[in-house]
Structure formats: C-alpha cells, structure tokens
Amino acid sequence: MNVITAVSSKGGVTKTTLVSNLSALLADSGYRVLAIDADNTQPALSSHYPIVEQAPHGLIKLIKDRCLGPEVISKTSIDGLDIVVSDDRSDTLSEYILHEADGRYRIRQALTTIREEDRYDFVMIDTRGAKGAVLDAAMLATDIFLAPVSPDIMSAKEFYRGTVERYREIKESAKFLNILLGPLHVLFSRVDRTVDAKDVADSFRAMTEGQPDIRLLETQVPTSTVYKAAASAQMPVHLYEPTSNTKRASARDTMMSVLEELFAIHNEYDNLFQVPEISPRDGDAK
Ligand SMILES: Nc1ncnc2c1ncn2[C@@H]1O[C@H](COP(=O)(O)OP(=O)(O)OP(=O)(O)O)[C@@H](O)[C@H]1O
Ligand SMILES: [Mg+2]
C-alpha cells in the first residue's frame, strides 16, 4: 500500500483537484483506493464525488481513536474509491494533535492497520493549503509527496521557503523514529501559454540542484476549464475529457502521465515503496 499526499503551504494550487482525479483514475484502473480529506477546515474533497454510503464518522475519529474501520470509511459513487471525509470544520484537531504526545503520528498509526490487513493499494491524502498540525500528521504518514506549484518564479521561491522547509523539518523529526520519508515531487500545475514554463523549470532545477529530495516532474498540468467543469459535474476528469481534439494532451492523458512518472521515479528507489505499474489504457477496463 502506498500513501500519496498532495502538499503545499500555499492555497489554491490544485491539490484537491489532483487528489480527486488521481484517486479516481487509480480506482478506475482496478486499484483499491482510500482518499482521506485532511483539509479539515475546507473539506472540498469530501464532497467532490457523490457519497453513496455515508459512514457515521470521519477524520476526527480517525485521528482520536486511530480508527480506520467501517465507521469512518464512506463509499463514493466511484467503484473502488472510498473516502474518509473531514468532519472538523471548526478545527478542533489542530489543538488536539498538539496536545497529544503522539498526535502527529496518529494518521500513520491508523494506516498501519489497513496496511497489515491489505485492504487498499493506495491511500491518497488531501491537505490544507497552510501550515498546521493536521498537515504535519498527514506528511508523517506519506510515502509519496506530490507538491503542485504555479509555474512562476515567485511561487517557486515561496514554495521553497514554505513547503520545502516544513517537509525537511518533518523529515528530520521522523528519522528519530526510523521513519524515512520519500522525496518531494514538484508538479507545475495550471500552466498556461502566456508563461514560459520551460524557463521557470530551468530556474527551479538550478535552485534545487544537488538536492535529491526535491524532484521536478517533467509532466505539467495545463490550465484548462475541464478541471472545474468535471468537478462541477462531480465526475473524474479522465471520464470528462478522455481524448483531445487539439494538440494539447487530454486531461486523461495528463493525469495518466503524472501517475506514470511518479511510479517510474519510485521504482528507481529499489522498490522501496513497491509501486505497481499502471498500464496507460487500463482506465476503461472495468
Ligand atoms: N489545471 C487546471 N486548470 C485550470 N483550473 C484548475 C486546474 N486545476 C484546478 N483548477 C481549479 O483551480 C481552483 C483551485 O483548485 P483546488 O481547489 O484543487 O486547489 P487547492 O490547492 O486544493 O486549494 P486549497 O488550498 O484552497 O485547498 C479550483 O477552482 C479548480 O477547479
Ligand atoms: Mg483543496
């Protein structure tokens, strides 16, 4: 089981869009996927897809009782995609986590049970676009970090000061418990034709040269209205735009490319995370 978490200390960078679409694509490819909405105060992921079986509890019980039983796992309309919704709009969890000695490790501990029982192939966590204890707890449960960044140099610098610094602090603290966190994968997202994303990518690579824990993905997610339109229709974007009539890659191909690249990188790490291969056209198999 691999845990993929979208992180960014900045808001509005397409984290929820990526988590909802990548988790649905994995589920449609035949994997068993659990999404966790750890953006407790703005739980957009929780309502991204229709819920067909609503569990009585959600993120609060997951963290307080280290529980990942049926009482916290709801079923979405997408076959193979379950979700732990956030039920903590008033943000009681940040305080709670800070006051419990093992608070930041609670999500990780809860995931241990489903890992041992082999209930899911992937867990995808959406997080808040701001620093905080719930984000720390999600980071400490993560195998594969995905960090969407706007393709401009100011955003890249801000990302470096905010997200990268926090990630490294968390990674250092985890070492004392023999927890090795994987690298941070940066994905330029909402790339439009007016920016020279290649220049920004070059600057970013220069800025992070010699730092193997930060890797910029080759794949970029272009600006496209289909992401919002698919979200409004409560549909995964790979079904909303499976093919493209223009030169631009379809949203389905873009999402597939993100997953393939993430997995290819992870297979380089001596199968540390044992990521299964995903075949490009599995999506319609079900
Ligand atoms: N590739 C894209 N092109 C254009 N718009 C996009 C794209 N991806 C997402 N969006 C839109 O951008 C907005 C912000 O995306 P999203 O909510 O996923 O960001 P977020 O990082 O989760 O934000 P927050 O930090 O507030 O949780 C949404 O309206 C979404 O529909
Ligand atoms: Mg979000």
Side-chain angles (χ1 to χ4, degrees), residues 8 10-18 39 42 44 126-130 148 189-191 221-229 231:
S8 166
K10 189 165 185 268
V13 291
T14 79
K15 292 181 299 295
T16 304
T17 303
L18 287 166
D39 184 350
Q42 289 186 337
D126 188 23
T127 62
R128 225 166 139 175
S189 187
R190 241 189 289 173
V191 178
V221 181
T223 298
S224 166
T225 52
V226 296
Y227 293 91
K228 193 168 254 174

